[in-house]
Amino acid sequence: MTNPNKIGFTCGDILLIPDFKEAVVLAGANGLHRPITRVNVMEVPDVIDWVRPGEFLITSGFPFRDDPDAISDIVPALASRGVAALGIKTKRFIDEIPKRALEAAEALDFPIFELPASTVFSDVVRDIMERVLVQEARELSLLQSRFQKLSHQLLHGASIEDVLRTLDGMLNNPVILIDDEDHVLLSPQAEEAANRAGAPMAWARLKDEGALGVTFLTFGDRRVRAYISSVNDKYGHCLIVLLEWNQEHSVVDQLTIERVGILVGLEMMNASARKEVEAKYIDQFLQDWLSGRIVAMEDVKLRAEACGSPLEEGVGFYAGAVRWVSGKPPLKQLQQAVKRIRSRLSGYGIQPTLLEGGFAFVAAVPPQGHVRRAIEALSSELKPLGSEGEVSICLGNKVERADQVHLSYHQAKKILHVSAICDLREPFIDYGRLGAFQLLYLLPESEEVLEYRDRFMLPLLEYDRKNGTMLLETLKAYFRNNRNGKKTAAELFTHYNTINYRIERVFELLGIDADDGDDLLQLQLAVKLLEMRPVAEPGGDKGLTRSG
């Protein structure tokens, strides 16, 4: 693959200089595309420590006059240091270049030129460096022209997408931008390349790998060389990727991408500042909406539309709150989660915000939609934030009108409160899943409730304390498993007969008839009350205590 718009002075260009018309390429012809940036003369054997990448190294052969085969050993070292090529003047100190040296150079695509005996090194340095400097001046001029064109675009209101489109045509290669939220912007040719891949490209993985500079990417059955540059670090971790799709990259192409990174970074900072202001308005709207501070339906519609989220006709609304089972994440993480989820889950009708120190949201569900799909998507986004991935999404009942959302949120807060008191850990909890806890939560903290609970629970607590038994835990598991002895035994890793004995002992201590449904119901309600309002520890204050 060759580039008709080649930039830079290369090894192949040496043969175009009149003074080199008698020079011969003895090996490494496949490396004639190597760029030359300087010339150095080697007349000492230890030159390897002084060479620089891009150098055209020339020698009279004097360092090898006693051991020409030493050239064979220095060739791999020169190639590894990035030296562009080696020119050797023969017939004065050495008659010919050893075959082993030429074979090594050929294998490395490292050009070796045989220079005629009449070659004057000062002329070589002058001729090549003049051309190198001319090429560098051209490159700088082209780079400046490109930078000015792109700057002019942005100053006159062009979007980042417009800049990528310009780069696409300017460099005749696809360009990809990956921002700090892993959003991917593709130039027109990049879209074609992505379509060729067949499956979605994992662009964000490039950020995780942290590879900058030259790398290789695979599109379907095609492996492509790519140049990756980091965008202005002040904005965030963003990358610009230039694919070598139609033609080879030049040094100026790579410098263009790096310079553009500065412009794009500044534009993204501006866009981010605008988004931050917009996000504050959206947060304020959602907080007012959920709290019921927006009374009139018309006001809800107007503010929703002003925030870019117009209310659709016929949708139903749910409000929810999130309980972090194993500890709430830091505020910074929650703020980032709101920003990320607002972007990723807008298609699910999810609008999150932070309210009253917690994570709250509104879900707008179309007539034929189901809220469960939206909740599952939200749960997947939230799990990485929670310790051990434990989060419970507490969902209020559906309301048909936007000005009733605060009622659904009020229910969600109640559900969260009850689930915290009762230590319910299901990933999704609504009123239906609260079961008896919904009614028991409404009971006042009275002496009658205390006496009811203690009549059943205190004898079991006292018996377990004195005898080191597990009657109460066994009873809880027994009810959890719908009074199935085998399942209870499996949960507690205890023999089935032991479970039966413990349950019989419970009924005996409490004077309960195992066949009387009313007795069993009263006992189960007492267990639920204990879970909501534990008995004070021995020696502590008497009465009911709330946990959570």
Side-chain angles (χ1 to χ4, degrees), residues 352-459:
T353 190
L354 299 182
L355 180 60
E356 299 174 319
F359 188 101
F361 64 92
V362 176
V365 181
Q368 304 304 320
H370 198 286
V371 71
R372 189 60 182 264
R373 180 169 166 266
I375 295 303
E376 288 173 352
L378 178 60
S379 180
S380 297
E381 292 287 341
L382 292 174
K383 278 183 179 179
L385 295 176
S387 174
E388 302 177 2
E390 285 193 283
V391 295
S392 279
I393 296 178
C394 303
L395 194 69
N397 289 339
K398 179 181 178 181
V399 294
E400 301 296 338
R401 291 171 52 87
D403 56 354
Q404 297 173 332
V405 163
H406 66 285
L407 301 177
S408 182
Y409 179 63
H410 185 64
Q411 291 173 339
K413 287 198 299 180
K414 280 187 177 180
I415 295 168
L416 186 148
H417 191 47
V418 174
S419 68
I421 290 173
C422 305
D423 197 25
L424 303 179
R425 293 171 177 255
E426 287 82 354
F428 169 64
I429 305 174
D430 58 10
Y431 258 141
R433 292 172 182 265
L434 286 182
F437 288 118
Q438 180 182 349
L439 294 175
L440 296 179
Y441 173 73
L442 299 175
L443 292 175
E445 296 188 23
S446 64
E447 288 296 325
E448 289 80 4
V449 174
L450 171 65
E451 290 172 0
Y452 179 89
R453 180 205 62 188
D454 289 354
R455 183 167 76 248
F456 293 96
M457 296 293 98
L458 285 182

Side-chain angles (χ1 to χ4, degrees), residues 286-307:
L286 291 172
Q287 291 160 8
D288 291 345
W289 191 15
L290 287 164
S291 302
R293 290 194 287 267
I294 309 176
V295 179
M297 181 69 170
E298 192 61 31
D299 290 341
V300 177
K301 289 182 177 180
L302 287 172
R303 289 187 62 179
E305 189 169 349
C307 291

Side-chain angles (χ1 to χ4, degrees), residues 511-523:
I512 285 177
D513 183 352
D515 297 321
D516 189 319
D518 287 341
D519 280 0
L520 291 175
L521 176 60
Q522 290 185 63
L523 178 58

Side-chain angles (χ1 to χ4, degrees), residues 27-46:
N30 289 335
L32 290 176
H33 64 280
R34 291 170 177 248
I36 294 176
T37 58
R38 62 179 74 192
V39 182
N40 195 359
V41 178
M42 174 175 66
E43 296 300 1
V44 291
D46 61 348

Side-chain angles (χ1 to χ4, degrees), residues 196-197 218-224:
R196 177 167 178 165
T218 301
F219 295 81
D221 57 354
R222 181 175 175 183
R223 188 168 171 78
V224 178

Side-chain angles (χ1 to χ4, degrees), residues 181 271-287 307 335 338-339 342 351-354:
E181 295 180 10
S272 178
R274 291 194 297 269
K275 286 181 180 178
E276 288 294 329
V277 173
E278 292 170 1
K280 288 180 180 179
Y281 281 112
I282 293 172
D283 278 326
Q284 189 61 59
F285 162 61
L286 291 172
Q287 291 160 8
C307 291
Q335 291 171 334
V338 166
K339 183 179 178 182
R342 194 172 286 168
Q351 287 287 350
T353 190
L354 299 182

Side-chain angles (χ1 to χ4, degrees), residues 26 61 81 183 201 219-220 225 249 271 307 310 316 334 351 376 385 390 403 449 464 468 542:
L26 297 181
R81 295 292 181 99
H183 295 148
M201 294 290 292
F219 295 81
R225 191 167 175 261
H249 302 155
C307 291
L334 288 177
Q351 287 287 350
E376 288 173 352
L385 295 176
E390 285 193 283
D403 56 354
V449 174
D464 282 345
K542 285 189 176 182

